[in-house]
Amino acid sequence: MTVCEYKPGLEGIPAAQSSISYVDGKQGILEYRGIRIEELAQKGTFLESSFLLIWGKLPTKEELTAFQTDIIYHRRVKYRIRDMMKCFPETGHPMDALQTSAAALGLFYSRRALDNPEYIREAVVRLLAKIPTMVAAFSQMRKGNDPVKPNDDLDYAANFLYMLTEREPDPLAARIFDVCLTLHAEHTINASTFSAMVTASTLTDPYAVIASAVGTLAGPLHGGANEEVISMLAEIGTRENVRPYVENCLEKKMKIMGFGHRVYKVKDPRATILQNLAEQLFEKTGYDKYYELAVELERVVEEKLGHKGIYANVDFYSGLVYRKLGIPTDLFTPVFAIARVAGWLAHWKEQLGVNRIFRPTQVYLGPREAPYIPIEER
Ligand code: SDX
């Protein structure tokens, strides 16, 4: 067995063989099952992309209709889970509420018939259908409201915005939100997907797999960055403060949220699409002062860090779109999770097909053959 050298963060180390998505970090290319993200964002829907990622092909009209119908049917959440969520502190972070309620689903559907394609399909449908409902439900409950029941007449993206705001969204807003979900659905072996795969490799249930991934996505170095970007723009406040802010971060070796990527050494193609979506929204609903700041911040960071391959990533512009859609800042990462459930499930299903439990090795740095010192002598 060839033992490769230790690489911090497993940088550049393949952890799996996969056919789900492809990233070229130098060219700024992202493909889902070989189809460019730009095509899917422009021509497809999130549910189509989810079907493509999970079952490896674009659905026929009949397959997509059946998939959508199943998801609409399964959007509702057991009252026991809703009652549990009512006990969550309203000050709790929505990602913690989501991780808890996602794991709780396993209490109701824990049969681990992982070799049964029907069980796999049921788990896929239930998780894609119920995660948005749980995110929206906690958002309502923490305000003292009852959850808003899913609206069966609305599609996936529109229904989430409806459950969140109690208003049917404008068609442009719903379409833009659907594109955001497609853009966030999958991204090869990122930290939360790797977490899902490691959990899946023990053959536990899919609800535990998703709960592991949600907990991993929550961190500010990963999915939590989109929320941090808005706080950063608020702190910068004015265009004049952009350069001093960046120079201060660099001096203190602080990471600037929304920039840099382990794989992309050019601007994340998703950031480009999200920036265009933000501009479309602003044209219709009025500019957001943070947008000008964001554009100036991107310019200064590129000037200072472009030579190191540090450019805007997916989290940099997404928050500006979500703000305009009326999504609270601390729900930005749960929205990322709603989309990424598709990618996590795709890797869960792929992993089951070739499973071997993840158990890497280590480079041991500690002592050997050490004596046990009695407490009186310590
Ligand atoms: C996502 O992996 C995925 O695919 C993730 C994702 C997905 O779709 O799943 O794309 C989603 O998580 C996007 C990333 C969101 N996170 C952020 O925006 C947080 C800020 N970014 C950084 O923390 C960082 O860029 C990471 C975590 C994204 C990548 O970290 P790496 O690859 O471990 O890079 P590193 O920390 O080793 O940095 C290498 C150098 C260092 O400088 P030197 O010590 O070599 O001089 O680049 C510098 C870093 O200081 N650097 C930054 C920086 N990111 C890297 N300097 C300032 N600001 C930054 N944002």
Side-chain angles (χ1 to χ4, degrees):
M1 177 186 75
T2 52
V3 180
C4 56
E5 65 170 298
Y6 164 62
K7 297 284 279 180
L10 296 180
E11 179 164 12
I13 305 287
Q17 293 176 321
S18 178
S19 318
I20 298 170
S21 65
Y22 171 78
V23 169
D24 178 328
K26 293 192 177 66
Q27 309 286 328
I29 292 171
L30 169 58
E31 295 171 350
Y32 292 172
R33 300 284 185 182
I35 304 174
R36 289 290 289 264
I37 192 64
E38 292 81 1
E39 289 253 38
L40 289 166
Q42 195 186 345
K43 300 174 183 165
T45 66
F46 171 64
L47 280 191
E48 261 187 311
S49 292
S50 300
F51 191 102
L52 171 70
L53 290 166
I54 295 164
W55 281 289
K57 70 180 189 74
L58 286 169
T60 62
K61 212 177 172 69
E62 295 71 27
E63 285 168 332
L64 184 59
T65 305
F67 192 43
Q68 276 169 317
T69 306
D70 280 354
I71 282 178
I72 288 173
Y73 177 77
H74 284 282
R75 281 172 173 168
R76 283 155 190 74
V77 168
K78 299 270 185 197
Y79 78 83
R80 285 189 176 86
I81 291 187
R82 293 202 306 273
D83 288 354
M84 172 188 77
M85 293 176 82
K86 282 177 188 154
C87 302
F88 293 172
E90 62 274 9
T91 52
H93 195 285
M95 280 299 273
D96 293 325
L98 177 58
Q99 185 178 25
T100 310
S101 39
L105 284 175
L107 294 165
F108 298 89
Y109 313 109
S110 61
R111 214 166 41 85
R112 293 176 194 167
L114 300 178
D115 52 351
N116 176 344
E118 198 34 45
Y119 172 78
I120 300 288
R121 189 179 194 285
E122 270 176 7
V124 163
V125 166
R126 283 191 171 121
L127 282 157
L128 280 171
K130 297 180 190 303
I131 295 282
T133 307
M134 295 192 297
V135 169
F138 179 66
S139 175
Q140 291 295 351
M141 290 179 187
R142 66 177 178 176
K143 294 183 286 189
N145 302 336
D146 280 326
V148 175
K149 282 193 176 43
N151 181 333
D152 293 356
D153 298 330
L154 297 177
D155 68 19
Y156 195 91
N159 176 58
F160 175 72
L161 293 175
Y162 167 74
M163 293 189 293
L164 204 61
T165 62
E166 294 190 81
R167 282 191 302 279
E168 288 197 23
D170 163 278
L172 175 68
R175 172 64 194 152
I176 284 179
F177 184 61
D178 192 271
V179 175
C180 290
L181 294 175
T182 296
L183 294 172
H184 285 82
E186 158 67 11
H187 209 250
T188 74
I189 316 296
N190 57 85
S192 55
T193 297
F194 186 46
S195 175
M197 292 164 67
V198 171
T199 308
S201 76
T202 69
L203 301 186
T204 185
D205 67 80
Y207 307 95
V209 168
I210 296 301
S212 293
V214 170
T216 308
L217 184 72
L221 294 188
H222 190 13
N226 53 19
E227 184 180 341
E228 301 289 330
V229 167
I230 297 298
S231 316
M232 170 178 67
L233 292 173
E235 187 187 335
I236 293 172
T238 65
R239 193 187 163 92
E240 297 63 49
N241 284 347
V242 168
R243 186 173 292 277
Y245 179 88
V246 171
E247 286 165 353
N248 179 53
C249 284
L250 298 184
E251 208 175 292
K252 293 188 177 138
K253 282 218 164 284
M254 282 159 54
K255 297 281 173 61
I256 304 166
M257 293 292 117
F259 290 92
H261 199 279
R262 176 65 59 82
V263 181
Y264 288 122
K265 301 309 166 193
V266 291
K267 184 168 179 176
D268 187 326
R270 300 167 294 176
T272 304
I273 300 170
L274 283 158
Q275 188 173 1
N276 295 337
L277 292 176
E279 290 178 351
Q280 272 180 53
L281 256 183
F282 298 148
E283 261 159 49
K284 176 146 190 190
T285 58
Y287 260 74
D288 178 335
K289 72 173 172 107
Y290 285 171
Y291 183 65
E292 306 302 338
L293 284 182
V295 171
E296 175 63 7
L297 178 59
E298 183 182 8
R299 196 184 62 76
V300 174
V301 172
E302 191 170 323
E303 175 198 310
K304 300 275 186 184
L305 294 172
H307 68 283
K308 292 173 83 170
I310 296 168
Y311 290 87
N313 62 45
V314 66
D315 288 309
F316 187 59
Y317 285 108
S318 55
L320 293 173
V321 177
Y322 297 154
R323 262 164 62 88
K324 269 291 167 184
L325 296 176
I327 298 172
T329 305
D330 67 357
L331 288 187
F332 290 178
T333 310
V335 163
F336 193 150
I338 288 172
R340 190 52 60 89
V341 167
W344 294 332
L345 288 168
H347 284 274
W348 167 64
K349 186 168 172 290
E350 185 178 65
Q351 176 76 23
L352 290 180
V354 290
N355 192 51
R356 184 150 190 253
I357 192 168
F358 277 93
R359 203 293 183 208
T361 182
Q362 63 174 11
V363 174
Y364 180 62
L365 301 175
R368 294 291 321 283
E369 311 288 331
Y372 176 82
I373 315 280
I375 194 158
E376 303 75 30
E377 297 169 26
R378 291 177 205 160

